Every structure is written in C-alpha cells, then in structure tokens.
Amino acid sequence: MSAGMSAAAGAAPGAAPGTATGTATGSGRVGDSPRRVGGHDRVTGLQRYVADLHLPDELHARLVTVPVARARIVTIDASAAERVPGFRFVMTAADLPQPMPRFGPQFRDRPVIAVGETKYHGDPVAAVAADTRDAAEEAAGLVRVDYEELPAAFTVAAALDPAAPLVQDPSLRPNDPLVGTNVLREHRVGWGDVEAAVADLVVEQRYTFPMVTHFAIEPHAYIVAPDGDGIAVWSSIQHPNWLQKVLAELLRLPLSKVRVHSPDPGGGFGGKQHTKYEPLVAFMALRAGRPVRLVLTLEETFQAVRRAAAEVRVRTGFQSDGTLAFQDIEANYLIGAYADIADRVVGKGSYPGCGPYRVPAARILARSVLSHTVPSTAFRGFGNPQVNWAVESNLDEGARALGIDRLELRLRNLARPGEAFIPFDTPCDGQWEQSVRRAAELIGWGRPLPAGHGLGIAVGIKSGPTTGLSYATVRLLVDGSVIVFAGTSDMGQGARTVFAQIAADELGAPLDAVTVVMGDTAIVPYDQQTSASRSTVLMGNAVLAACREIQGKLRAMAARLHGLDEATVMVDRGVVRLPERELTILEVLVPGLGRLGGELIGNGEMRKDAEPDHPLGGSAAFFEFNCTAVEAAVDEETGDVTLVHYATVSDVGKAINPLQVRMQDEGAAIQGLGHTLMEHYIFDESGRIRNLGAIDYRIPTSLDLPLEIVSEHVENEDGPGPYGSKGMSEGALLCVASAVGAAVRDATGVAIRDLPLTPERVWRALQERP
Amino acid sequence: MHPFSYERPATLARAVALLEAHGPEARVLAGGTDLIIRLRDGSLAPTVVVDLKRIAELEPGIREADGRLVIGATTVMTDIAADARIRRRFEALAEAAAVVGSVQIRNRATLGGNICNASPAADTAPALLVHGAVVVIAGPSGSRRIPIDGWFVRSGVTTLGRGELVTAIELPLPAAPMGSVHLRRTRRRGHDLASVTLCCGVDASGVTRLAYGSVGPRPVLAVDATGVLADRDAAPEARTGLLERMLAEATPSARSMRASPDYRLAMLRVLARRGVDIATARLAAAEGRR
Amino acid sequence: MSGRIPIQVTVNGRARAFEVAAHHTLLEVLRDDLQLTGTKECCLVGECGACTVRLDGRIVDSCLVLAVEADGGEVTTVEGLASDGRLSRLQGAFLDEGAVQCGFCIPGQIVAADDLLRRVARPTVGEIQEGLAGNLCRCACYGQITAAVAAAAAAEAGAR
C-alpha cells in the first residue's frame, strides 16, 4: 500500500515557534522527546560499530599509497613485504579482472584500485592482507612502488586551464562535448531574461568556499566475508541497498547473495553514503577465501571523502527599494578525481542558488570541475552552502549600498507560501517569514552594539529529495509489542527513535516495547538511501502506512468480534473506537488472534517517482528552510572572531521528537562553524595534502562554541511527512558562514569573501583595509 | 609502529647506562605524548625505549630546597598547573602548563619531556626562560646543571649529550615579587599547538624579561634592564622602540602551516605589548599585597 | 624486554594478567586483546579523546600510552562505569539531555566527564567545557553534553 505525497497542509500562520525543553520527556508519543532509542548501548560502550566487530579467521588489510598528488605507476614490488611473518598477499590492479571493474553512483569512473596512474594524494595503489594488524601495517610499509610524478591540477584555475592535464580518461565519456576538458558537466538553470533586466544597482563579487572533510569520529570501516556462494559485508555505509547493488554487479552475484550489514555509523554527514573500498575488500576476501577487514586511519578518511570547494561569482541586480531584479550566478565546484556523487551535488546544490526569494530573472551556471584531489562526495548541505555563502553575502552588500536594513531587504524579497519562487518546481512550502522574524527577534536585531561587535542574518534553503523509495514492515506481536523493519541508516540523527515513536503512537505500544531493526539487507526491506534529510518524510510515511495497514486489520478484527459494520470502527493513535465505547488495541488483538495466537503484519511503501522533464529528475519533496542570526565580536588586533550570540530557527513542519530536532540544528550550526572559522585542507605546491590528521586540521571543540546559542523550530504541520513533518538537519548548516561573515563585516567594515575566517585571514583583511 | 625493546630501569644509574650504551638507538619515554606520535608516524624508529617512570630517584613532584623550587623532570603538567607555590611565585609557568593540550594530555605530558622535545613552540619554554630555570642533568660523567638559556639549540635539539637525561628543573625563588604572564596565539579557542608563545616577567627592580617561541628555531629570551618597559608612565615611543629591539631575534619559518611569518611577527608584537601590561599589573597587585 | 611482556593490570575492577607486545598501545590491547571495544579508535594522536580511559586515577588518551606502562596499574573504561547493569547518574543524564547522537565519541566523553565530577563537585559551564575540551564531537552535541554533566552534578549534590 502506498501513501501518496500529500500536498502541504495549510495550517494557521503564526503558530508559536517550538522550543524543545532541555530534557528527555514524555512517554514516547509523537511530539515527545523520549530518551534516544539505542542510547543505552551508546553510553555504556556496548554499541557495536563496524570496527568493533570481528570474524573468526579474519585477515587484516592495509592500503598502500604514494606520497604525491598524481603519479604514473611504474612497478610495484612486494618482495620485502612478502617476508613479513603473517603476510598473506598483496592485491594490485594486475590481480583484478581485466579490464578493471569500475563503479560510481553517477559515472562508472572509479577503478576498484588505481590502475596505471594514481589520480590524487591517497589514491590506493595496492592493498596487503595479513594475519594481524601489525603484520599488515609492516607489510604495507614495505611494498615498494616505483612511480613517476606527473603534473597535477588541484585548483579551479589549474583544472580549467586549456593546457591542464586531463583528470579523467576521455574514453569514459566519448560522446560528451566537454570530453577534452576537466569540466565533467555544466548545469544551467534560469528563467526570465537576465540580460534585459533593468536594475538600479548591480553588485558583482567573487567568493570562495574551502575544501573541507567530514571528519566523522568513526573512521570508515569494512569487513567482507565469503558467505556460501555469496558474500556478507559489514560497512559503515549510509546506503546499504545501494552498496548491495554495486557489489552484486561488480562481483556478478545475484542481489540475494550479497548480504550487507550496516551497523549504525559513528557519524556520516554524507561521507559514508557511497561505495568506496568495499569492492576492493570484497575481491580480497574472495581471493583469500576468508574474511578481510579494512579500517581506515583518520588520515585515510581525509583522503577518501570531502566536500567540494567552490569559486562562485555572483552578479545581483537590485531595485532601489531593495527588491531583487535578477541573479546571475556562476559557480565552479572543484570536485575530485572520481565523480562519486559530486556532480549531483553541483547540480542539486546550485539549482536553488538564488535562495528563497522572489527573483524575476535568473541565470545559474554551475560546473563540476574535475581535479587531481580526493573525490568529493555528499556532505551535509549538498552543494548549497557554497552558493549560499556567495549569494547571501552579495545581498548584504546590496543592502548596504542601498541603505536598506539587511533584515528588511530579505523580508521584502522572501517568497510567500504557495509562491513558485523556482518556476515549475515545488512552490514555497512554509511560512518562512516566521522563522526569519523569530531569528531576528532572538538576536535582538537592530539594538545598539558595543564597539567591535556586529550583527549578521542570513537565510538558507535546500531542496529535499527529488525522488525516493522506502519500504517498511511493521509487526504487531500478540502481547502488543512491535517490531519495525526500516532500512534507514541511523548515524546519529535519531531515525530509529522517530520510527519507534510513530509506531508506538499509532499502535498504542509503550516506546520501550518497540524494536526497530535496521541495517541488514537480508532482513530489512528496501530503502533507496539515507540522504537529503528524507527519512522522517519518506521512511516515516512508509512506517506510518505500515501501521495504518495493521490498523485496518484491527478494524476488521474488532468488527468481527463485536458484530459491527467495519465502517463504524476507527483505529486512531493506539485506540480502537467503537460506536458505543473505546478499547485498547490489546483488547481487540488478543481475542482477535484467538487460540492460535500469531501477529499482524503491515507493509508500507513511500514512493516519489521521477519526473523525467525536471532538471533535477524530480521536484523537491519539501524545502529545508533556516534563518541564522549572529552577533560577533572581532578583536581587530588579532583577528579573533568571538560569536557572542547565535540564533538558528528552522521550519520543520512537525517535530516528531523536539529534543532531537534541536540537537540536529545545533549540531549542524556548530559543524558549519568549522568551514566558517577554521577548517581547510592545506596543499603544498605539487598538490599533496599537508595537514592530514587531527593535529593540523582543526574542527570545533567544546571551547569553540558561541558564547550563547539558541535553536528553535517553527511547526505549522505543513510538511508532507507524518503529522505534517518535513525533513530537517541540513538546514541549520546552510547559512552559517553567511551569517557570521555578515556579522564580521558589520563589526569591522570589511567584507571578507574567502572562507574560512581564521584569525590570520581576518587580521590580514583588516590590514589591507583602505 | 615498529617493534622495539622496552626497558624499565629502576635506578638512575641503570637508565644512564642504557642510554649511553644505545646512544641514538634509544629514546626516553616519560609522558609519551610526543614520543608515541612519532613512533606511530615512523619519524622515530628506536630499537630501545627507556621508560623513566619507575626510576626510584626520579619521583615526580615539586619540592623546595635551598632557595629553589625543584620540579622533578617527570612531573606532569596537571600537577605543575595546580601547585600553589608555582601559581603564586611562577604564575606564567602555571598558565603555560595549563594550556598544554587537553586534560588527558596534561595528565601525562611532563616538564622534562616538554623541554627535551624542544619544539620551538614548547609552551613551558618561555616561562622557564623568564624565571631563569636551571636544568639538572644526570649522565655518564655524573650530574651537571645548565641554565635554560643555553639549553635549546634548535627545533628538536638540545645540549643533552649521549647517555644523559634530565632529572629536574629548578626555579630559583625570587627574592622580591614578580609579575609574570604566559600568552599564546592559537588557531581556535580549543586546545591547539601555539603559533606564537610568549612570557613576560617584570620584577620589583624594574627589569622586564620577555621570552618568546614559535617564531624561530628555538625560544628566545630578551631582557630590558633599563626599567623603561616596566614603567607605565614611560613614553609610548620609548617602550615601542625597546620592544622592537627585544623582538628582533624572531625569525618565523615561511614553511609553517600554522601561521605565516608576517602574522606571527604581528602577533608577537601584540602579545608582547599585552604581556608587559598584564605583568606590570600583576606585579603591582603582588606588591600591593605585601 | 622484547617479545611478549607479562603485565598485571586491574581492568574495571578485575585483576588481569596477560602478555603484551612492547609496541602495542593500551588502546589496542583493551580493544583487541581484552575485547573491551567500548573505547574507540579515531585520530591516534591524542587529539580527539575517543580513546579516553582512566589510568591510575587520571584520564589519559590510551592511544598515547603503551600497554606496558599500565603494568601494576588500574584502568577503568566506559564498560566499568555502570554497575550491575544500572546506568550511572551521569550516563542517565547523557540520555536525558539528548547528549548522544551517533554515539562514537560518547564513551570518551563519559569517562572524561566522570573524571571531572570526581575532581569538581559542581563545575561551572566553563569548567565543563575545559574539562571535556579534549573530546571531539563532530555531531557537535557539546551544548547537550555540557548540560548533561551539569545535570548529573546537580543531581549528585541533591542526593547528598
């Protein structure tokens, strides 16, 4: 049974913004904030992540790389490695099927292991397998690779230079007009006529967004074991079904013979969405006839996943009253040597680049630019933060030039509910003005500030999933307890708890009587993926539909038991309503199942089909909308930026678990402070990463928080998810940099257009102030 | 990391004998917060690691003797930062010890290790220089003492010879009150390696000592005996000129990832100015208490 | 000594005797030899705190401690904090305050928080942030973690 995507339900505007109380409360119904399901194991150390699992007889794998950005592989000599006690074998391109199998969610460009050439610093050349970790580490260090360093392109300018070395083998896209360049794709979106648009003021600036890495505290980990005539896989993957498909194709196995276990990841943020080293480990396991495990070091994760850097040129036309006349955006995203999902990031991220505003004419050109760097992949925000940084900063500049308050300018242009601010796409689906006014109120917009302080405000928008498919199965057992099968990956966002709350609420079960089973493709039905903040809406609706199917069976049961017409029986949020009285679910279920016992099973499906004519393949299921407002104090002598107050307000429809909503938004905000204030890869002149590891790549610690941070959410029950919910958890990251940059500008008078705003960079900008 | 042989000498004599016998093939292990990192990344591959923590004569701790505060070389930063005598008499050293990494690091990192590792950014070095610390060394030829001002040679190199190890760091107890402060620049407010470290000490006779690190191959001590810097009524130009001369030995590396040379030099000036102000204020407060 | 070195360590209250390689860290031995996988591996350079354990009454990054250095000592890991299957007040507070997202940093956070509360009965927000500054959380639950430690401290004080 499928539940259609309901139109956004209208709700009374002006509903009070929701704030979560600080503590877990309530019995586990929707809208409560019960203790996280799975929390007990996490605070006791019992939670098993992939690296905590061991199989009998397992071999340990270790990657071999060369210390340059790009190289031609001449020879690989493992003779010294072979003499290490416990060494089993080394795997190189020569040991894999010919031609080299390739994979990738958008292009099949990625080899299982580098063949002929390494294309970025950290591209594995070989992998050793040994009996112990020590032996694997020692053997990997003894594999001698003779290589010839090749010129590498690792900046936008270098990659776009006509004389640049090509990153991707041209034979991989022979009929592509861009094949002789490092531009993988160009994405063009537009409406109206930008050239003909008349504006009283035009602001044109160029902005840059740094290359940053996910730095999940759990490094990626993989175990593959031969399993009968198939394989069993353990991976920290966010998309187990997708991985299953990739492996089945590469290994020429039926899907039913590829079992993927995906234990809850220790943080994903998009960096664990797509296949990376599972194929390599799988080939090794099949060769060995034994399980093989590979756990990346933190340094290796920096060389496995990152966000696309970007250079964005924005030309904004304003009327004198602040209304927008046009937006002309050109964004070059620096993606890595293999496409992974990076091109989708570019297309989808740039598509709503004009922001949640009324823009009469727009032209957006976004390019995926290949480079000899770590493959960029999905990262919370999915290409939106990069353009947001540029576009919101440009709005600020326009407001200043026109003498219009920056909050006022945004309100004047903000799309209203139902307005098709991106023509032919999902219209504005929220009372966005509410979030903006609340954030402004929380920061005290317009109040006088001490010297050296400034205020900034920015909004961010991101399209939710454009297609999707989630199945759920729910089993109501004879004692009223419930098992939910849902293939979402709970990497900390709390999906498990949300689904448990929905089932508990719909089936009248106490929350601690609900078990949620995830992460095993042999047991849990299909889920397309966990991304784009989709799971509450897509899987949540599937779980809801499964519960409703069970409720239908309960209605039939009650009607039969009490001699009633089924049409007169209702099941509503855990209560069975007969014409004359109410019963608990158990009071129907137990007599209904009778002496043989049994259970009731419900299946649910939530599908969002592709729209082939749509540039993104489908319109947005919903929008994530956020407004962030910041008060910053700048020490002009040192460049230190202190965030004195920080307010973030997201439009979420319905908070199934308010405490989790707040945690996600605060977490997103602080994570965004990373690329805003301190994070960036540092390269040497030849494209080698200098700051691998935790000592010289700085992320926010407990001491780097804003002095005060407030997170609220707006609930108008106007989303397509269960009870009017929308997806959330990326919104609060989208405009962090824009709000902080605006506050710094307000405090110092200096606009800085390159992130991160480290003390040194702020200081330098102040020094160069005319 | 590569395997090695682990020695856990119970006496100083045995430790010295091991170090002399193995020379550069041996590395000393105290807190491990520098050594273990380098063993893991392979930049050090000793055949022998000599653990100092069970040596009877090397008990960690702080005691007073003959007008000096004697800090055992294996005393950890947590204890240095918390010691009431150090906080009262050598405030900058307590401040420096309190910012070496996190609680976890400070519970292991030792003062001896900090000065033997000899990073130009060593947090405790500027305070030790300002307070005129003396390094006490045991070795094959017996024990010797060397003022800290002659201790650091360049990054990672000290005057320690083969077979020698640091047993204690001594701080002469100042006869008159002193105001001192430790300041540093980092990339974030969370714990970090410093891109500039600085200690300023001002004593009752008007002598100002400025020690600074991470702006050259070794930490530097500069002294102003004129009294001008310590004099809050002195003309700003005179003070600025003096400061410039005292900071002249700063030669930050262009290769560093943490900060560029011109930023480091600018911050050195900012910290020096702030350091003089704070140290003189602390001196005044200390004198006021007398 | 080289090869396997016999050591004796009290781990989570239980006296254990076993042999370790000189170059194995306490973290590796806890996880791989004693199957105490609650303590996590992440940065391995003493920056992230995911490997935090209590050693001889103080918290340390176990990735920077050789296992042999713990000989004769006492180690407490996250597994040793809950007694008889009941969560400690601190563990309960982490759940109540929503301080747990992906959970990977949580064992280290809890061991560090437990240590702080033994040293400081009613820590201020600043003292909590400083006490846990050596524990990175990329999900960035810092605010909730601070609230959890404060709540546990208050509850402890109230109970006395």
Side-chain angles (χ1 to χ4, degrees):
Chain A
M1 165 170 306
S2 65
M5 276 303 226
S6 59
T19 27
T21 57
T23 56
T25 56
S27 61
R29 297 303 167 111
V30 167
D32 289 341
S33 296
R35 283 185 171 189
R36 174 175 297 259
V37 173
H40 178 279
D41 284 359
R42 284 161 167 82
V43 299
T44 53
L46 294 174
Q47 181 71 21
R48 298 268 175 176
Y49 302 85
V50 174
D52 300 327
L53 303 172
H54 291 277
L55 296 182
D57 225 29
E58 63 189 5
L59 292 177
H60 297 259
R62 191 77 188 218
L63 300 175
V64 178
T65 61
V66 294
V68 293
R70 180 178 172 233
R72 186 172 72 83
I73 305 163
V74 179
T75 57
I76 304 174
D77 176 4
S79 50
E82 285 162 8
R83 291 195 285 274
V84 172
F87 170 91
R88 290 288 169 169
F89 60 88
V90 64
M91 190 82 119
T92 69
D95 304 302
L96 287 161
Q98 311 289 326
M100 168 63 72
R102 293 178 184 268
F103 63 95
Q106 289 191 273
F107 298 85
R108 283 176 196 273
D109 57 341
R110 186 176 192 136
V112 172
I113 202 165
V115 50
E117 182 181 317
T118 61
K119 292 186 184 282
Y120 61 93
H121 182 204
D123 197 2
V125 171
V128 304
D131 290 341
T132 64
R133 276 174 68 155
D134 278 356
E137 188 183 330
E138 191 180 344
L142 291 173
V143 173
R144 248 200 59 178
V145 182
D146 277 337
Y147 60 89
E148 179 199 332
E149 189 169 356
L150 297 173
F154 53 96
T155 63
V156 170
L160 291 180
D161 189 303
L166 288 184
V167 177
Q168 191 187 69
D169 186 342
S171 66
L172 288 173
R173 44 171 180 148
N175 301 315
D176 188 334
L178 294 168
V179 68
T181 73
N182 283 321
V183 178
L184 182 59
R185 258 208 197 130
E186 288 187 338
H187 299 263
R188 294 172 193 274
V189 176
W191 58 87
D193 189 340
V194 168
E195 295 301 329
V198 174
D200 296 325
L201 168 74
V202 175
V203 174
E204 179 169 356
Q205 294 291 358
R206 193 175 154 281
Y207 302 83
T208 67
F209 195 103
M211 198 183 285
V212 297
T213 186
H214 302 65
F215 201 146
I217 308 297
E218 178 210 26
H220 303 66
Y222 320 99
I223 306 174
V224 182
D227 184 17
D229 47 0
I231 56 169
V233 181
W234 286 259
S235 169
S236 50
I237 192 92
Q238 290 172 232
H239 303 340
N241 290 93
W242 202 316
L243 173 63
Q244 181 193 36
K245 190 156 63 93
V246 171
L247 289 174
E249 280 176 19
L250 285 173
L251 301 173
R252 299 174 210 246
L253 290 170
L255 286 172
S256 57
K257 300 295 184 185
V258 176
R259 182 172 187 172
V260 175
H261 302 268
S262 51
D264 293 358
F269 318 114
K272 292 173 179 165
Q273 283 189 11
H274 286 289
T275 310
K276 303 272 183 289
Y277 297 123
E278 294 91 337
L280 173 61
V281 178
F283 279 109
M284 292 174 77
L286 290 174
R287 171 168 167 179
R290 290 164 63 172
V292 174
R293 69 188 275 118
L294 172 67
V295 179
L296 298 189
T297 64
L298 183 68
E299 290 85 352
E300 286 170 339
T301 72
F302 288 21
Q303 294 174 306
V305 292
R306 67 169 178 89
R307 193 192 285 278
E311 296 178 3
V312 186
R313 187 186 57 79
V314 183
R315 199 167 64 94
T316 309
F318 300 83
Q319 307 306 355
S320 58
D321 67 350
T323 52
L324 290 167
F326 67 83
Q327 286 281 20
D328 188 7
I329 301 168
E330 183 184 347
N332 288 323
Y333 287 77
L334 192 68
I335 70 171
Y338 303 117
D340 198 275
I341 198 70
D343 181 69
R344 176 70 175 166
V345 169
V346 173
K348 190 160 183 240
S350 61
Y351 179 79
C354 293
Y357 303 108
R358 198 171 308 110
V359 181
R363 176 169 60 199
I364 305 175
L365 165 59
R367 296 190 186 87
S368 315
V369 180
L370 294 160
S371 63
H372 293 107
T373 61
V374 172
S376 65
T377 185
F379 194 166
R380 200 174 193 172
F382 211 75
N384 288 273
Q386 294 91 325
V387 177
N388 183 289
W389 162 238
V391 171
E392 284 291 299
S393 299
N394 234 37
L395 284 187
D396 254 35
E397 190 159 327
R400 286 180 185 284
L402 294 171
I404 296 175
D405 178 87
R406 294 166 288 142
L407 165 66
E408 192 49 48
L409 183 123
R410 285 175 168 82
L411 288 171
R412 219 167 270 182
N413 289 286
L414 203 64
R416 300 185 204 95
E419 203 170 339
F421 67 105
I422 303 174
F424 316 119
D425 208 306
T426 306
C428 165
D429 66 348
Q431 309 277 346
W432 292 339
E433 184 177 322
Q434 228 183 309
S435 299
V436 177
R437 289 201 182 278
R438 184 60 183 153
E441 188 181 354
L442 286 169
I443 208 69
W445 189 263
R447 64 187 157 90
L449 298 170
H453 288 229
L455 290 183
I457 192 163
V459 299
I461 189 167
K462 176 182 182 291
S463 307
T466 56
T467 64
L469 180 57
S470 298
Y471 297 129
T473 298
V474 176
R475 296 167 60 192
L476 175 63
L477 307 183
V478 68
D479 64 350
S481 64
V482 178
I483 306 178
V484 176
F485 296 86
T488 301
S489 168
D490 191 341
M491 63 198 96
Q493 82 280 39
R496 211 180 268 283
T497 310
V498 167
F499 304 150
Q501 283 179 258
I502 293 172
D505 204 323
E506 292 290 321
L507 300 178
L511 190 68
D512 57 14
V514 179
T515 294
V516 182
V517 178
M518 294 169 155
D520 185 342
T521 56
I523 294 174
V524 178
Y526 180 87
D527 183 38
Q528 185 191 38
Q529 57 194 82
T530 302
S531 68
S533 311
R534 70 180 61 212
S535 304
T536 295
V537 170
L538 282 166
M539 184 59 80
N541 270 337
V543 171
L544 189 58
C547 291
R548 298 270 159 87
E549 189 172 276
I550 291 174
Q551 289 173 345
K553 295 181 181 180
L554 286 166
R555 284 174 52 223
M557 229 177 226
R560 177 171 52 80
L561 286 170
H562 297 271
L564 295 166
D565 187 336
E566 219 179 287
T568 65
V569 179
M570 302 285 307
V571 180
D572 171 39
R573 305 286 278 268
V575 174
V576 182
R577 296 187 204 282
L578 308 181
E580 302 296 311
R581 59 198 166 119
E582 286 183 1
L583 297 172
T584 68
I585 285 192
L586 269 178
E587 286 172 323
V588 172
L589 182 67
V590 174
L593 289 176
R595 203 121 56 86
L596 288 181
E599 60 187 65
L600 292 182
I601 302 177
N603 288 299
E605 174 188 322
M606 183 66 229
R607 172 187 295 270
K608 187 175 191 301
D609 277 312
E611 298 159 51
D613 293 333
H614 191 288
L616 292 185
S619 53
F622 55 84
F623 289 106
E624 285 193 73
F625 179 88
N626 173 274
C627 183
T628 295
V630 171
E631 177 185 347
V634 181
D635 179 337
E636 298 211 357
E637 280 196 316
T638 61
D640 282 330
V641 175
T642 301
L643 300 180
V644 181
H645 294 290
Y646 191 107
T648 178
V649 182
S650 288
D651 182 76
V652 304
K654 171 73 183 174
I656 310 256
N657 183 318
L659 181 56
Q660 283 188 178
V661 167
R662 183 160 75 87
M663 290 164 56
Q664 280 291 291
D665 267 359
E666 277 190 34
I670 295 164
Q671 193 172 64
L673 290 180
H675 65 244
T676 301
L677 295 174
M678 61 185 78
E679 291 180 41
H680 56 138
Y681 281 81
I682 300 173
F683 289 93
D684 70 9
E685 318 75 39
S686 65
R688 193 170 36 202
I689 305 165
R690 294 180 67 194
N691 60 339
L692 291 173
I695 293 177
D696 280 311
Y697 184 91
R698 303 321 250 170
I699 69 172
T701 71
S702 60
L703 292 171
D704 296 296
L705 267 54
L707 302 184
E708 185 209 46
I709 176 168
V710 177
S711 148
E712 288 189 5
H713 44 267
V714 168
E715 292 181 83
N716 290 326
E717 296 178 8
D718 50 1
Y723 320 107
S725 57
K726 301 176 185 178
M728 57 80 57
S729 91
E730 293 179 78
L733 185 144
L734 300 174
C735 55
V736 175
S738 308
V740 172
V744 169
R745 164 73 176 83
D746 195 43
T748 63
V750 175
I752 306 173
R753 304 192 179 91
D754 306 301
L755 294 173
L757 304 174
T758 62
E760 178 171 337
R761 284 155 166 252
V762 172
W763 172 84
R764 198 172 297 286
L766 294 174
Q767 296 296 301
E768 289 161 7
R769 172 166 49 182
Chain B
M1 54 181 101
H2 294 301
F4 46 78
S5 193
Y6 170 80
E7 294 289 344
R8 195 163 71 195
T11 66
L12 194 54
R14 172 82 183 127
V16 168
L18 279 167
L19 293 177
E20 194 190 11
H22 292 283
E25 289 297 309
R27 296 302 293 207
V28 148
L29 170 63
T33 56
D34 291 317
L35 179 68
I36 306 291
I37 293 175
R38 301 194 60 189
L39 294 179
R40 176 182 173 258
D41 71 18
S43 57
L44 286 177
T47 53
V48 181
V49 167
V50 180
D51 190 339
L52 302 182
K53 295 192 289 299
R54 314 284 175 131
I55 295 173
E57 302 96 317
L58 271 197
E59 283 249 350
I62 303 165
R63 61 187 173 87
E64 266 186 64
D66 306 326
R68 303 187 303 267
L69 209 58
V70 181
I71 305 174
T74 57
T75 309
V76 298
M77 297 298 170
T78 299
D79 293 330
I80 292 170
D83 186 87
R85 297 159 293 186
I86 294 184
R87 289 163 76 122
R88 194 174 60 249
R89 315 289 284 272
F90 304 101
E91 190 168 2
L93 180 60
E95 289 178 320
V99 296
V100 173
S102 59
V103 171
Q104 291 92 323
I105 296 290
R106 294 194 284 278
N107 283 341
R108 298 290 286 179
T110 64
L111 189 60
N114 203 224
I115 66 168
C116 288
N117 193 48
S119 159
D123 285 300
T124 60
L128 293 174
L129 283 163
V130 162
H131 289 297
V134 173
V135 186
V136 183
I137 296 159
S141 343
S143 140
R144 65 185 181 98
R145 310 154 71 80
I146 168 169
I148 191 91
D149 199 14
W151 170 256
F152 299 101
V153 175
R154 62 178 180 278
S155 179
V157 179
T158 67
T159 54
L160 208 58
R162 182 179 178 122
E164 292 188 314
L165 61 105
V166 175
T167 57
I169 294 97
E170 295 178 344
L171 294 171
L173 290 165
M178 194 179 188
S180 72
V181 63
H182 169 85
L183 297 171
R184 61 184 211 148
R185 285 295 312 161
T186 53
R187 293 164 290 189
R188 64 180 184 193
R189 282 209 297 282
H191 67 94
D192 200 355
L193 297 164
S195 32
V196 180
T197 59
L198 182 131
C199 175
C200 180
V202 179
D203 71 22
S205 64
V207 175
T208 301
R209 291 178 178 77
L210 262 185
Y212 48 91
S214 201
V215 284
R218 63 180 169 280
V220 169
L221 173 67
V223 182
D224 165 43
T226 68
V228 170
L229 267 185
D231 177 5
R232 286 146 122 183
D233 299 321
E237 314 84 61
R239 301 176 90 211
T240 309
L242 252 178
L243 263 181
E244 282 303 311
R245 284 196 288 286
M246 292 172 84
L247 301 177
E249 272 188 76
T251 54
S253 159
R255 281 297 294 163
S256 166
M257 271 193 287
R258 291 187 194 125
S260 61
D262 61 340
Y263 182 68
R264 281 187 143 121
L265 290 173
M267 292 307 100
L268 184 61
R269 281 163 182 81
V270 171
L271 293 189
R273 219 179 348 94
R274 293 182 181 181
V276 170
D277 287 344
I278 297 170
T280 49
R282 286 182 177 176
L283 173 65
E287 288 180 318
R289 282 194 290 273
R290 269 188 132 200
Chain C
M1 314 170 211
S2 54
R4 306 289 289 177
I5 303 170
I7 65 172
Q8 295 184 312
V9 189
T10 302
V11 182
N12 294 331
R14 212 177 115 204
R16 316 271 313 241
F18 47 95
E19 291 187 344
V20 300
H23 66 285
H24 281 174
T25 63
L26 180 59
L27 175 63
E28 288 166 335
V29 167
L30 287 171
R31 285 179 55 80
D32 299 339
D33 295 353
L34 300 183
Q35 286 79 50
L36 290 166
T37 58
T39 310
K40 303 304 181 194
E41 287 190 7
C42 174
C43 78
L44 301 182
V45 292
E47 284 288 321
C48 73
C51 67
T52 304
V53 301
R54 190 174 183 74
L55 172 64
D56 296 335
R58 292 188 150 163
I59 53 167
V60 299
D61 293 313
S62 60
C63 70
L64 294 184
V65 177
L66 299 176
V68 287
E69 294 180 81
D71 186 19
E74 280 190 40
V75 175
T76 306
T77 70
V78 63
E79 291 97 335
L81 292 181
S83 47
D84 307 320
R86 289 189 57 223
L87 295 181
S88 71
R89 191 169 264 131
L90 183 61
Q91 288 167 316
F94 265 67
L95 293 177
D96 285 334
E97 294 298 324
V100 178
Q101 292 193 43
C102 84
F104 200 81
C105 76
I106 292 299
Q109 302 274 5
I110 288 190
V111 172
D114 173 80
D115 172 71
L116 174 65
L117 293 180
R118 288 169 193 247
R119 293 185 285 114
V120 185
R122 293 298 295 268
T124 62
V125 166
E127 286 171 326
I128 296 172
Q129 289 174 338
E130 176 62 55
L132 270 56
N135 292 82
L136 297 179
C137 175
R138 192 52 156 166
C139 300
C141 293
Y142 295 121
Q144 289 78 18
I145 291 171
T146 300
V149 178
E156 187 68 42
R160 286 208 217 98

